[in-house]
Amino acid sequence: MSRAFNFCAGPAALPTEVLEQAREEMLDWRGTGMSVMEMSHRSDEFVAIAEQAERDFRELAGVSDDYAVLFMQGGASSQFAAIPLNLLGDKTSADYVDTGIWSKKAIAEAKRFGQVNVVSSSAASGYTTIAPESEWQCDPQAAYLHYTPNETIGGLEFDFIPESRVPLVADLSSTILSRPLDVSRFGLIYAGAQKNIGPSGLVVVMVRKDLLGKASPHTPTMLDYKVAADNGSMYNTPSTYSWYLAGLVFQWLKRQGGVAAIGEVNARKAKKLYGFIDDSDFYANPIEPRFRSWMNVPFTLADDALNKVFLQGAEARGLLNLAGHRSVGGMRASIYNAMPEAGVDALIAYMTEFEKEHA
Ligand SMILES: *Cc1c(COP(=O)(O)O)cnc(C)c1O
């Protein structure tokens, strides 16, 4: 068996150790004679798996008891609707920052439920920089301020947490657990699982408990945070196997030393790759250096006509899924927690070789 280095943006690579453990436990979870997939979500066994995963997540992410942690379904995109439905309350509008494709999707969906005030947009720069907060047109009456700390497609990432007077809401899908974060600055954080947590479909939501119970009466039951919180995220059948796998990923991350330790590795991986790109005349990344994403590194080749050859050569070396998002082209290397430093080294070695051959 050989495992490739998979640079996919999502669903992304999972740690090999996690998949091995899942394989080991697939047919008979710890002497129960059943797979986790076949267990009742109400069984003692599954409830223990679910509770352990939540405890480990809280410990890793530093989430206090002031927050509910919800394991919901429908991916991050379902939260684009859940957030306005739950948080607008008696307010009529919410503030949003536009830094790219995911921000825009969140904005478009929120507009279905209320008024959206775009307080700042990176559009004029071609989404390569972020305006300082002093220039944002925030509304003190807004129900909340939503932003996308890391734009997974554009590779544009905030290097600061906004100072918001209203509850701060963040789509942390592609950076959750990648380094330490002060959760207490946020009213709500959500993250689709398929980048740093586990299989797609699952979405983890951390919501400050004082924000619960304000959902609009039209809110579908399945999107109501209070219903999810009151039912331990088991109002209906949760995505049990994904939840279990997320739990295995959390335990793996604890064995790596937690988010502080993985954060150092992630910083080193990103620094190496951007450093290499900057030193080369053949590869380029357009983002203002302080706003470059640690997790998603888009880059272009000197000649687009070489893209196909580059991707074929990469694949032949077991470096997979380096094509950029279909909306932007070029290349993108996603280097989440599960991508070992050796994967980045192998990518740089290949890029060096390719440049020598084609420059
Ligand atoms: C991947 C991603 C999403 C979409 O997640 P789904 O689970 O597919 O809905 C939303 N926001 C960001 C920042 C992402 O990276």
Side-chain angles (χ1 to χ4, degrees):
M1 183 213 64
S2 87
R3 295 266 297 159
F5 289 124
N6 178 7
F7 294 90
C8 193
L14 286 162
T16 300
E17 266 178 51
V18 164
L19 296 176
E20 282 169 347
Q21 187 179 347
R23 177 177 62 187
E24 190 63 31
E25 298 179 336
M26 173 67 79
L27 298 185
D28 174 10
W29 187 81
R30 303 189 190 172
T32 56
M34 287 180 285
S35 172
V36 173
M37 259 181 275
E38 304 166 308
M39 286 177 187
S40 163
H41 56 297
R42 313 270 178 213
S43 65
D44 290 347
E45 289 85 357
F46 186 77
V47 169
I49 289 170
E51 287 177 351
Q52 183 69 46
E54 180 178 333
R55 267 199 304 279
D56 288 339
F57 178 79
R58 282 182 180 274
E59 183 186 327
L60 284 163
V63 187
S64 78
D65 285 342
D66 295 342
Y67 293 77
V69 172
L70 312 173
F71 289 78
M72 298 180 78
Q73 302 179 57
S77 301
S78 67
Q79 296 302 312
F80 296 162
I83 288 159
L85 281 164
N86 280 275
L87 301 188
L88 276 173
D90 52 12
K91 302 279 176 66
T92 50
S93 74
D95 284 352
Y96 278 71
V97 185
D98 167 27
T99 51
I101 290 170
W102 290 115
S103 308
K104 282 204 276 242
K105 289 202 167 177
I107 289 166
E109 189 72 356
K111 281 181 175 166
R112 299 162 55 98
F113 306 102
Q115 202 182 309
V116 168
N117 175 29
V118 178
V119 300
S120 174
S121 171
S122 299
S125 70
Y127 295 99
T128 56
T129 190
I130 297 167
E133 215 185 338
S134 55
E135 293 173 14
W136 298 5
Q137 306 291 317
C138 289
D139 174 3
Q141 294 306 316
Y144 58 87
L145 169 65
H146 178 283
Y147 81 118
T148 310
N150 181 56
E151 284 284 352
T152 316
I153 294 172
L156 180 66
E157 177 166 348
F158 281 75
D159 68 346
F160 63 94
I161 298 175
E163 297 279 352
S164 179
R165 278 193 281 173
V166 300
L168 186 60
V169 175
D171 176 358
L172 226 73
S173 294
S174 45
T175 47
I176 187 88
L177 300 176
S178 66
R179 77 207 77 164
L181 178 77
D182 182 0
V183 171
S184 72
R185 301 275 301 272
F186 298 85
L188 185 148
I189 292 172
Y190 62 107
Q194 67 272 32
K195 281 92 187 209
N196 261 337
I197 290 180
S200 59
L202 183 71
V203 53
V204 178
V205 179
M206 288 145 267
V207 54
R208 224 172 52 214
K209 288 176 180 165
D210 63 286
L211 298 173
L212 295 172
K214 298 179 184 178
S216 132
H218 306 297
T219 306
T221 308
M222 282 298 295
L223 291 183
D224 188 323
Y225 296 140
K226 183 153 190 333
V227 172
D230 288 348
N231 289 279
S233 306
M234 296 195 195
Y235 175 79
N236 79 330
T237 317
S239 193
T240 53
Y241 198 73
S242 298
W243 196 334
Y244 153 77
L245 277 177
L248 297 187
V249 170
F250 300 151
Q251 296 203 343
W252 171 83
L253 188 49
K254 285 172 75 173
R255 292 196 297 277
Q256 311 309 303
V259 292
I262 206 92
E264 283 174 26
V265 179
N266 287 332
R268 217 161 46 227
K269 280 156 40 186
K271 191 161 178 252
K272 251 188 208 180
L273 188 48
Y274 285 114
F276 171 77
I277 290 169
D278 285 344
D279 285 346
S280 138
D281 293 327
F282 187 78
Y283 300 103
N285 168 282
I287 307 296
E288 183 178 342
R290 64 175 271 217
F291 297 120
R292 283 171 165 177
S293 167
W294 289 27
M295 296 281 106
N296 311 98
V297 183
F299 61 93
T300 51
L301 313 188
D303 179 0
D304 269 347
L306 291 170
N307 287 355
K308 213 169 151 196
V309 196
F310 180 89
L311 289 169
Q312 282 167 347
E315 201 169 322
R317 284 163 182 76
L319 306 171
L320 307 185
N321 292 310
L322 285 162
H325 190 266
R326 58 186 192 280
S327 65
V328 292
M331 305 297 151
R332 173 177 48 166
S334 294
I335 50 177
Y336 302 115
N337 287 352
M339 175 58 65
E341 203 165 347
V344 173
D345 292 339
L347 174 60
I348 291 174
Y350 169 60
M351 288 169 75
T352 306
E353 197 184 309
F354 189 87
E355 177 175 355
K356 275 204 190 105
E357 218 170 293
H358 296 275

